[in-house]
Amino acid sequence: MSYINKLCGKGSAIYFTQSKFQNPMSFPFTTANTVHRLWILFPVLIILSYGYGVGAQNSSDVTNVGAIINFNSRIGKEQKAAMEVAAEDFNNRSKTHKLILHFRDSGRDPFRAASAAEELIKEKKVEAIVGMETWQEAAQVADQAGNQSKVPVISFAAPTITPPLMQRRWPHLIRMATDASAQMKCIADLVSAYHWKRVVVIYEDDGYGGAVGTLAVLSEALRDVGSKIEHRLILPRVSSLSNPNWVELEELLKLPLIQSRVFIVLQSSLPTVTHLFRVAKKMGLVGRDSAWIFTESIVSLLDSLDSSDMSTMEGTLGTKTYYAKNTNSYAKFQNEFQTKFSEEDNSKPGIYAIRAFDTMTIITQALRRMTSNSSTSNLQELLNTLFNNYTGLSGKMYFKEGGVLLYSPKFGIINIVDGKTDKELISWTPEVGFSPSLVNQGTNSSNGVGIIWPGKVTSAPKGWAMPTDEKKMRILVPGITSFYKFVKVDWSRPDSDEKKFDGFCIALFKMIVSNLSYSLPYEIEARNGSYDSLINLVQDKTYDAVVGDITVLSERLEKVDFTQPYLESGLSMIVPENYEESTWLFLKPFTWQMWVVTGGILIYTTLIVWFLERPSNPEFGGPFKDQIRTATWFTFSSLFFAHREKIYSNLTRVVVIEWLFVVLILSSSYTANLSSMLTIKQLDPDVTDIEMLKRTDAKIGSDADSFILKYLEVVLGFKNSNIIEVGPQYNVDDFKSKRISAAFLELPYAEVFINQNCKGYTSTAPNYRFGGFSFAFQQGSPIAKDFTKAILELLENGELKKLQTHWLTTPKGECANNATSNTPESLSLKNFSGLFVITSVTSTLCLLLSLVILMRKFRRQEADQGNASPSPSDESLWNRTVKIAGFINRSLSIPKGAPPFANVDEWSSPLRWGYTSTSNTPEHPQALMEPAQIEFIPQESIEQKQ
């Protein structure tokens, strides 16, 4: 046989040897067929023996390469055909170097693969070994061939999680496989795109825990997108099933407590996955609400199935590594491959065939280099070099730590439609994700990509066991609530009676159900117990949801999924109030700052009026005390518009007009605010804040079934002995009997309490916020998301507010004159700051203008005196200041009985001023007078008299 091996090896370029321990029935050529063909070809063999001898003399080298694959799988057959094509291409081109492939069947058994590797090395003297469909096989062969015999091993499998120091452990192992981590991220993004929160993972037990690493990576990828694995379904191996009807599988698929209908099949043999779908379809798990996703290893097996088996998988999605199909090299390879693989219905090469071809191509390139360069004889080093930065049919690769990876792994999502797997929907890359978006694609999508889901529907499935008329959604409501306005249960009626359950929460639930885009059959049950116990019943899947006044808390959020809160929640304190009789109520319309500033403006205005009127107004004459008394009385009486003094100065008129405007605004505001305070009853709460309650060791009330009880003790620091448990409805008798000084309720309860007890009680604004009132669903339930959307719509269109008013607000008229209405606040300085600034600036400007006029008169007097006085440059600053001050003082003094309308401060137009003595008139004798007795009269008046 060895001679025949050599003959066939040299004459036909490739010869397939068969392991002596292999089952003959598993190999394509049986022993009988082989003997029969040898007798027929015996004359030919004699002729070829002559040619072999010649060829052997002329040939320089023959390289043996071992290939360990699974003969019975579609993947193994594709790999075998692809490697044959690559070897034939090399042998047809090379005249000095020939490549002989030796195939062995592993049957996906690691120990069988290791034994085959040992036999290939010892008997066939192979220089490299390729193949190994599973990582368990690759690890065993790497130990046997690589570490012991130093033979390069190229595996088509790699561990999902790379072990530490892997290259040091297997230095001769090269891994050329799909990036499992990237594929799991692709599947996780697919789950996230359709908002599926829970999935069921299915994989076949291979006896070696091969799916553990993949399961861990998938779990992490799902957690990153907010989803999780709800259940793991481990299928038994085909050889371990005793019943050909797959009764064991049917028992495994009974998932009474599993609501998720998103199934991810990680790994499985073809017979197992075929029977899996037959049983799943029989049990109703392949329907309109379910989604099935295959990994690439399973998608590559499906082309071998017949149409009847493929029809059970209609609508399933799968992942495939993307590779370019529009190149000339791929077209050439596909033609040669289909010639070799013509016995299959679908003979197009898959990614496993592509990688096998790329691997053999790199091996042949290494052989060429070794032939052309005698100094390069290390095949391992050549392979490591060639794999780095190599572009093959599967894409551009790089070599890193013993692994061959694609620079940019790209996956495509396929849809099984009409029994075919060639419908590619969309591509995915780690950097971009799905491009374009995969969400909401249907048969009418703009990009022409339509997804057909199980049940032949185009709308995306919920991925959840949706309620039906046969299996309705079980809704749980609390039997006892803090206030019956939220949930009220009439225990005298049966559960089937719709009138048994009433209240705001029940009405809201029914309104949401009516607004959903699909039918939601449900049945309501009531149970007594704490709210936490109700949440636990949903967590353990006894009920599907809890409808009621459930507060969203972080501890509860870990157990269930909540909808959007429909009411705000926070801690509110209810305290009784007493009527307040205030002696100083008349001061409350203004704040004390306002009173102080108003008094300051009054004094300032008084001084301004005195300064402006003193020179010309005789009513401001007399001693200084009388002058100030007159000015003060004038300004103060103007508050009531009762002033009678005449005004002589135009500047004073401006100041007074501005002051009267201020007085009008202040008096009107004071009157209005005081009237409001007198109209509204004044209530004074017995308790002002929480710290007062703790200081006085006052008794406080709280609902026994509420989490508030623990919150008061742990967070706010109340003593447990001071917390009184009160029953539902919070009876006011607890306040009247002085049993409690205050009650702590959640904000919605506080509002209901105040509406029911309009007089004598008040509530504080909540300083401690909670998550709000919401409905609770099982984790991962898509119905929770639909309820959230419906609640937001009701909030936006105002329907929820109307429902809240109807159920939680007191009817009109019952609390029209609510004694707990807010008392008007005192008006502050901020309310009138602009007004005060205007009047201050106006008065100041008038004062400055008056000083300017006086300075003009002073300069004229200095000019009239001529050389009688020293020049300004000769005077000191102090002397000049004293002279100016004296002049102003004299100007502010007027003679007794001066003319009543003498206008000194004419500022609206330039004035000509003169002076004369009163002794020049006939009524008075001429005499010298002091400057204080000089009367200043406008020049126009003098001319008229003359």
Side-chain angles (χ1 to χ4, degrees):
M1 286 295 295
S2 61
Y3 179 75
I4 295 175
N5 288 345
K6 292 179 180 179
L7 278 177
C8 293
K10 297 304 296 180
S12 62
I14 305 174
Y15 182 74
F16 310 101
T17 61
Q18 184 174 2
S19 175
K20 59 186 177 183
F21 51 80
Q22 171 189 324
N23 182 3
M25 297 302 294
S26 65
F27 193 73
F29 304 101
T30 63
T31 305
N33 289 337
T34 303
V35 174
H36 179 69
R37 292 177 182 177
L38 289 176
W39 279 107
I40 294 175
L41 297 176
F42 184 74
V44 180
L45 293 176
I46 297 176
I47 298 173
L48 290 177
S49 65
Y50 176 76
Y52 165 76
V54 175
Q57 292 175 0
N58 296 332
S59 63
S60 61
D61 197 6
V62 174
T63 300
N64 295 299
V65 175
I68 302 176
I69 58 176
N70 183 7
F71 286 174
N72 296 321
S73 72
R74 165 85 184 202
I75 294 175
K77 293 176 182 179
E78 287 189 12
Q79 291 172 340
K80 176 176 175 292
M83 287 188 282
E84 288 177 6
V85 171
E88 286 181 358
D89 287 346
F90 173 76
N91 289 333
N92 292 335
R93 295 179 182 180
S94 177
K95 298 180 181 179
T96 59
H97 204 119
K98 298 301 177 183
L99 177 64
I100 299 179
L101 290 176
H102 302 273
F103 289 93
R104 295 292 183 269
D105 183 17
S106 68
R108 292 179 65 90
D109 187 340
F111 298 102
R112 187 172 177 180
S115 179
E118 182 180 6
E119 184 262 338
L120 287 170
I121 294 172
K122 291 181 178 180
E123 296 186 11
K124 302 304 178 183
K125 309 299 180 185
V126 295
E127 298 184 28
I129 295 178
V130 298
M132 287 72 71
E133 189 175 324
T134 66
W135 169 243
Q136 290 76 17
E137 297 176 57
Q140 290 288 343
V141 172
D143 283 332
Q144 181 68 38
N147 294 350
Q148 296 182 17
S149 304
K150 313 299 182 186
V151 174
V153 177
I154 305 174
S155 71
F156 298 144
T160 307
I161 302 175
T162 304
L165 304 177
M166 183 173 180
Q167 192 174 12
R168 184 178 300 179
R169 180 177 178 182
W170 294 297
H172 300 280
L173 175 63
I174 299 175
R175 308 178 305 278
M176 187 174 183
T178 300
D179 188 350
S181 177
Q183 184 178 193
M184 294 304 106
K185 290 180 181 178
C186 174
I187 294 176
D189 283 354
L190 180 61
V191 171
S192 175
Y194 292 102
H195 308 289
W196 298 323
K197 298 301 181 182
R198 297 293 182 272
V199 302
V200 177
V201 175
I202 303 175
Y203 59 92
E204 183 179 3
D205 179 22
D206 59 1
Y208 305 101
V212 174
T214 307
L215 189 66
V217 174
L218 176 61
S219 177
E220 182 178 354
L222 290 172
R223 186 167 58 251
D224 291 341
V225 297
S227 302
K228 66 182 295 186
I229 298 174
E230 184 179 17
H231 183 66
R232 292 178 296 172
L233 183 59
I234 305 175
L235 304 179
R237 300 180 70 181
V238 178
S239 59
S240 65
L241 292 177
S242 58
N243 194 324
N245 294 324
W246 295 72
V247 178
E248 293 90 339
L249 182 58
E250 188 170 348
E251 290 294 326
L252 289 173
L253 285 176
K254 291 180 179 179
L255 308 173
L257 298 179
I258 305 302
Q259 298 294 323
S260 175
R261 290 298 179 264
V262 179
F263 301 95
I264 301 175
V265 186
L266 288 183
Q267 69 176 30
S268 176
S269 62
L270 190 58
T272 302
V273 76
T274 302
H275 286 83
L276 168 66
F277 266 81
R278 290 176 183 172
V279 176
K281 191 163 188 178
K282 176 183 176 183
M283 299 179 66
L285 298 178
V286 184
R288 60 184 303 111
D289 294 322
S290 62
W292 289 77
I293 303 173
F294 287 152
T295 56
E296 187 173 36
S297 61
I298 298 176
V299 173
S300 301
L301 302 173
L302 300 180
D303 289 329
S304 300
L305 294 177
D306 55 29
S307 58
S308 61
D309 289 328
M310 289 294 292
S311 63
T312 62
M313 305 177 187
E314 189 82 5
T316 301
L317 301 181
T319 60
K320 270 188 175 182
T321 301
Y322 176 84
Y323 50 90
K325 299 180 181 179
N326 54 356
T327 61
N328 295 330
S329 56
Y330 176 80
K332 178 178 179 296
F333 167 71
Q334 182 178 357
N335 292 333
E336 296 176 356
F337 177 85
Q338 289 178 334
T339 303
K340 287 278 185 184
F341 205 60
S342 58
E343 69 270 15
E344 294 286 344
D345 294 335
N346 185 356
S347 57
K348 291 183 179 180
I351 185 60
Y352 291 95
I354 296 293
R355 288 203 186 94
F357 179 80
D358 285 342
T359 300
M360 291 307 302
T361 302
I362 291 178
I363 292 176
T364 58
Q365 289 185 11
L367 295 179
R368 290 192 185 97
R369 291 198 181 187
M370 293 176 65
T371 303
S372 60
N373 189 355
S374 58
S375 62
T376 305
S377 59
N378 191 323
L379 181 59
Q380 183 73 52
E381 293 181 359
L382 276 175
L383 291 175
N384 293 347
T385 303
L386 291 173
F387 270 116
N388 193 33
N389 205 26
Y390 173 76
T391 302
L393 296 182
S394 55
K396 190 174 182 180
M397 315 169 195
Y398 68 95
F399 185 80
K400 181 181 180 182
E401 297 179 355
V404 180
L405 303 173
L406 294 176
Y407 272 102
S408 181
K410 190 175 183 180
F411 291 91
I413 303 298
I414 62 101
N415 189 197
I416 298 178
V417 179
D418 297 331
K420 297 179 181 180
T421 62
D422 55 356
K423 183 180 180 181
E424 295 188 8
L425 301 175
I426 200 170
S427 61
W428 178 92
T429 58
E431 299 81 11
V432 179
F434 292 109
S435 180
S437 175
L438 183 66
V439 183
N440 297 328
Q441 293 193 63
T443 53
N444 297 325
S445 59
S446 59
N447 58 5
V449 179
I451 300 178
I452 305 299
W453 299 95
K456 294 186 178 181
V457 296
T458 57
S459 59
K462 295 288 184 182
W464 195 259
M466 298 298 291
T468 61
D469 292 333
E470 293 76 19
K471 188 178 179 181
K472 297 182 179 180
M473 186 177 185
R474 299 187 65 190
I475 303 298
L476 181 63
V477 299
I480 300 177
T481 59
S482 298
F483 286 89
Y484 293 148
K485 284 183 173 290
F486 291 92
V487 177
K488 184 177 181 181
V489 181
D490 186 354
W491 294 98
S492 63
R493 298 176 181 269
D495 290 344
S496 57
D497 191 348
E498 291 187 359
K499 296 182 178 179
K500 178 177 181 176
F501 307 100
D502 201 6
F504 169 73
C505 297
I506 304 300
L508 176 60
F509 172 77
K510 293 180 179 180
M511 180 181 290
I512 293 173
V513 171
S514 64
N515 288 345
L516 294 177
S517 59
Y518 53 88
S519 174
L520 188 69
Y522 64 88
E523 55 186 12
I524 302 178
E525 299 179 27
R527 279 202 181 188
N528 294 329
S530 66
Y531 284 16
D532 287 335
S533 66
L534 302 183
I535 293 294
N536 293 335
L537 290 175
V538 176
Q539 182 188 20
D540 62 19
K541 297 180 174 56
T542 304
Y543 291 89
D544 296 307
V546 176
V547 171
D549 47 345
I550 309 297
T551 305
V552 180
L553 301 176
S554 59
E555 182 181 357
R556 296 173 180 175
L557 193 59
E558 296 178 356
K559 301 177 181 179
V560 295
D561 284 351
F562 285 99
T563 64
Q564 164 73 25
Y566 54 85
L567 287 178
E568 293 183 1
S569 178
L571 186 62
S572 182
M573 182 174 67
I574 303 292
V575 294
E577 287 186 322
N578 296 320
Y579 289 109
E580 178 189 8
E581 300 294 341
S582 177
T583 305
W584 302 98
L585 181 63
F586 70 94
L587 294 177
K588 286 192 174 181
F590 290 160
T591 62
W592 68 268
Q593 296 94 336
M594 182 70 181
W595 285 114
V596 170
V597 173
T598 302
I601 294 295
L602 174 65
I603 295 173
Y604 183 68
T605 304
T606 298
L607 295 176
I608 297 297
V609 169
W610 171 80
F611 185 86
L612 297 177
E613 286 295 304
R614 179 67 186 89
S616 57
N617 195 334
E619 295 185 14
F620 285 81
F624 181 75
K625 291 182 180 180
D626 293 341
Q627 298 175 21
I628 297 300
R629 186 183 301 112
T630 302
T632 304
W633 170 251
F634 172 81
T635 307
F636 185 79
S637 61
S638 64
L639 291 173
F640 312 98
F641 304 98
H643 54 283
R644 296 183 177 181
E645 292 78 7
K646 295 181 179 180
I647 300 174
Y648 289 80
S649 173
N650 288 334
L651 292 175
T652 308
R653 292 188 179 98
V654 173
V655 173
V656 171
I657 289 173
E658 181 62 31
W659 169 246
L660 291 177
F661 178 73
V662 172
V663 169
L664 177 63
I665 298 298
L666 291 179
S667 59
S668 300
S669 302
Y670 177 86
T671 304
N673 205 24
L674 182 60
S675 300
S676 300
M677 290 182 176
L678 293 173
T679 302
I680 298 175
K681 294 179 180 180
Q682 302 297 304
L683 294 176
D684 184 24
D686 291 341
V687 179
T688 56
D689 56 21
I690 293 176
E691 294 302 323
M692 177 180 176
L693 290 172
K694 291 194 290 186
R695 285 195 309 268
T696 58
D697 280 339
K699 302 296 183 180
I700 59 175
S702 176
D703 187 357
D705 292 333
S706 172
F707 71 95
I708 298 294
L709 195 67
K710 181 179 179 182
Y711 188 89
L712 292 173
E713 183 178 357
V714 176
V715 179
L716 298 185
F718 283 97
K719 296 179 181 178
N720 183 267
S721 58
N722 291 335
I723 303 176
I724 306 298
E725 296 181 2
V726 296
Q729 309 309 307
Y730 285 83
N731 197 327
V732 295
D733 293 338
D734 291 326
F735 289 104
K736 294 179 179 179
S737 63
K738 303 298 182 181
R739 184 169 177 243
I740 60 175
S741 300
F744 286 89
L745 294 80
E746 292 187 72
L747 180 60
Y749 300 151
E751 292 176 350
V752 172
F753 181 90
I754 294 298
N755 283 327
Q756 292 177 346
N757 303 277
C758 304
K759 299 180 180 180
Y761 297 93
T762 186
S763 62
T764 62
N767 295 323
Y768 304 92
R769 295 285 181 177
F770 305 130
F773 282 3
S774 179
F775 298 152
F777 289 81
Q778 292 182 16
Q779 285 190 334
S781 173
I783 303 177
K785 178 176 177 292
D786 296 336
F787 266 58
T788 292
K789 181 181 178 182
I791 290 174
L792 291 174
E793 291 175 350
L794 293 176
L795 285 170
E796 292 168 3
N797 59 27
E799 292 298 323
L800 185 55
K801 182 62 178 178
K802 294 179 182 178
L803 190 67
Q804 181 181 352
T805 303
H806 173 74
W807 282 96
L808 305 181
T809 304
T810 305
K812 270 189 175 181
E814 190 172 335
C815 286
N817 298 321
N818 191 352
T820 60
S821 301
N822 292 330
T823 303
E825 295 182 355
S826 300
L827 297 175
S828 65
L829 183 61
K830 184 178 180 180
N831 301 116
F832 300 96
S833 58
L835 184 65
F836 287 154
V837 169
I838 292 174
T839 186
S840 300
V841 171
T842 302
S843 298
T844 303
L845 287 177
C846 290
L847 175 63
L848 295 176
L849 188 56
S850 175
L851 291 175
V852 169
I853 294 174
L854 288 175
M855 290 303 298
R856 288 177 58 189
K857 292 193 295 182
F858 175 76
R859 291 193 185 95
R860 288 185 181 181
Q861 178 178 313
E862 288 290 306
D864 292 341
Q865 291 178 358
N867 297 328
S869 300
S871 61
S873 59
D874 297 336
E875 288 184 306
S876 64
L877 178 62
W878 172 253
N879 292 334
R880 186 170 182 81
T881 303
V882 171
K883 183 181 290 186
I884 294 175
F887 176 79
I888 293 176
N889 182 50
R890 291 191 299 271
S891 299
L892 293 178
S893 300
I894 61 175
K896 186 176 180 179
F901 293 102
N903 288 330
V904 177
D905 299 328
E906 293 293 342
W907 54 272
S908 58
S909 61
L911 299 176
R912 293 174 296 148
W913 295 90
Y915 69 93
T916 180
S917 172
T918 55
S919 60
N920 291 334
T921 62
E923 291 80 7
H924 298 277
Q926 185 175 4
L928 287 174
M929 303 182 68
E930 295 295 328
Q933 296 174 326
I934 300 299
E935 178 183 4
F936 292 90
I937 304 175
Q939 186 68 28
E940 291 85 341
S941 300
I942 297 175
E943 292 175 354
Q944 290 176 1
K945 289 182 178 182
Q946 292 176 350

